[in-house]
């Protein structure tokens, strides 16, 4: 069973369109994240939710809106897509507060290409 | 804001040579984590270091956390082609869920 899954895996779209990426985790974790990895492989956190509540909101354009309908799902909606939004978007989850490790489990990524 | 610097950005080695990547944080960390990302893949957790001066080993990989809890290193002995990928360190401060990733070191191994 896939622990953290994302759909779609690839997304090619025109500038100005609106698109969504979905993420689901079956690990029972309370915290989920969205990361953006650019062409230089730099991983930067965008958002984090803990049990449906937003806890991290980095300096991301407000065209990006995360939504967490329940603690197993964290979706990312992007309005008015721009060329600079082209990247790989990773979802991740973790269970903070564990005594030993609070590692993050990453999904397979969604490669977004904006033309 | 918190920054995590990682060097080198790229490392090319011959199979059998050793490899080291270094990580330095601008602030004291509560823990540091290391991840490996294979080409075309996603980051996969390797290890977490919590204690000052901690050293942990996983087969040919040795991880160290500095005494001041601001720097860390990953050393691979006798690299193999299966070690190819990008290695990221990620630092976390106390009281924060946020992991700040270094820019990664891309390792290529020539057979």
């Amino acid at each position: 069973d896939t622990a953290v899954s994302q759909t779609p895996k690839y997304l090619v779209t025109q500038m100005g369109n609106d698109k969504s990426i979905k993420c689901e985790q079956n690990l029972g974790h309370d915290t989920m994240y969205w990361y953006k990895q650019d062409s230089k492989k730099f991983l930067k956190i965008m958002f984090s939710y803990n049990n449906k509540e937003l806890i991290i909101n980095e300096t991301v354009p407000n065209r990006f809106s995360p939504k967490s309908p329940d603690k197993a799902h964290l979706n990312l909606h992007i309005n008015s897509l721009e060329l600079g939004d082209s990247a790989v978007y990773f979802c991740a989850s973790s269970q903070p507060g564990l005594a030993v490790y609070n590692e993050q489990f990453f999904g397979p990524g969604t490669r977004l290409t904006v033309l | 804001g918190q920054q995590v610097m990682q060097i080198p950005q790229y490392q090319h080695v011959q199979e059998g040579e050793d490899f080291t990547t270094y990580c330095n944080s601008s602030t004291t960390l509560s823990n540091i984590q290391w991840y490996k990302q294979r080409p075309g893949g996603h980051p996969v957790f390797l290890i977490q270091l919590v204690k000052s001066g901690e050293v942990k080993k996983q087969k040919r990989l040795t991880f160290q956390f500095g005494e001041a809890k601001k720097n860390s290193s990953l050393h691979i002995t006798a690299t193999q082609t299966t070690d190819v990928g990008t290695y990221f360190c990620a630092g976390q401060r106390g009281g924060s869920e946020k992991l700040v990733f270094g820019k990664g070191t891309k390792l290529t191994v020539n057979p």
Side-chain angles (χ1 to χ4, degrees):
Chain A
D1 280 347
T2 304
V4 182
S5 58
Q6 293 179 230
T7 53
K9 191 169 172 62
Y10 299 96
L11 188 51
V12 181
T13 188
Q14 298 285 335
M15 238 176 13
N17 284 351
D18 303 338
K19 290 292 177 186
S20 292
I21 307 171
K22 295 187 176 183
C23 177
E24 177 180 0
Q25 55 96 3
N26 63 5
L27 297 166
H29 288 165
D30 285 339
T31 306
M32 295 183 73
Y33 312 80
W34 276 111
Y35 287 88
K36 179 181 180 181
Q37 186 170 50
D38 61 23
S39 57
K40 295 182 179 178
K41 300 294 188 188
F42 184 39
L43 260 175
K44 188 163 172 32
I45 189 161
M46 301 172 70
F47 302 103
S48 177
Y49 272 72
N50 180 273
N51 210 358
K52 303 192 295 176
E53 186 178 334
L54 182 66
I55 57 170
I56 296 174
N57 186 353
E58 292 295 290
T59 50
V60 176
N62 57 15
R63 298 182 294 104
F64 290 79
S65 51
K67 280 191 172 51
S68 182
D70 55 63
K71 75 173 194 177
H73 296 83
L74 181 60
N75 304 323
L76 183 65
H77 187 77
I78 316 171
N79 288 326
S80 303
L81 279 155
E82 300 178 356
L83 294 176
D85 297 333
S86 295
V88 179
Y89 291 83
F90 286 103
C91 176
S93 74
S94 71
Q95 187 59 32
L98 283 179
V100 181
Y101 290 141
N102 59 350
E103 66 188 276
Q104 294 190 10
F105 293 79
F106 282 78
T110 296
R111 182 174 292 277
L112 171 66
T113 304
V114 182
L115 304 175
Chain B
Q2 182 188 358
Q3 290 187 336
V4 175
M5 312 300 288
Q6 189 175 353
I7 57 167
Q9 194 174 354
Y10 302 96
Q11 186 77 60
H12 310 283
V13 298
Q14 287 295 125
E15 191 172 19
E17 291 181 340
D18 292 355
F19 158 76
T20 305
T21 173
Y22 301 90
C23 199
N24 193 56
S25 168
S26 57
T27 58
T28 302
L29 302 169
S30 65
N31 72 82
I32 195 154
Q33 300 177 22
W34 286 90
Y35 290 78
K36 177 183 179 181
Q37 185 177 19
R38 293 182 188 274
H42 58 276
V44 174
F45 176 81
L46 293 176
I47 209 157
Q48 177 175 301
L49 304 169
V50 178
K51 299 177 185 174
S52 169
E54 190 169 16
V55 178
K56 286 189 176 180
K57 293 193 176 189
Q58 287 179 351
K59 297 182 181 177
R60 295 178 294 103
L61 278 60
T62 301
F63 304 85
Q64 291 188 313
F65 201 9
E67 294 290 340
K69 299 183 74 172
K70 294 179 77 172
N71 57 353
S72 182
S73 64
L74 157 59
H75 180 82
I76 302 178
T77 303
T79 53
Q80 300 175 357
T81 53
T82 52
D83 295 326
V84 161
T86 301
Y87 292 84
F88 292 95
C89 62
Q92 193 167 35
R93 288 198 293 188
S96 171
E97 300 303 335
K98 187 169 132 180
L99 264 186
V100 177
F101 279 79
K103 292 194 175 183
T105 297
K106 184 176 179 180
L107 173 65
T108 54
V109 179
N110 295 325

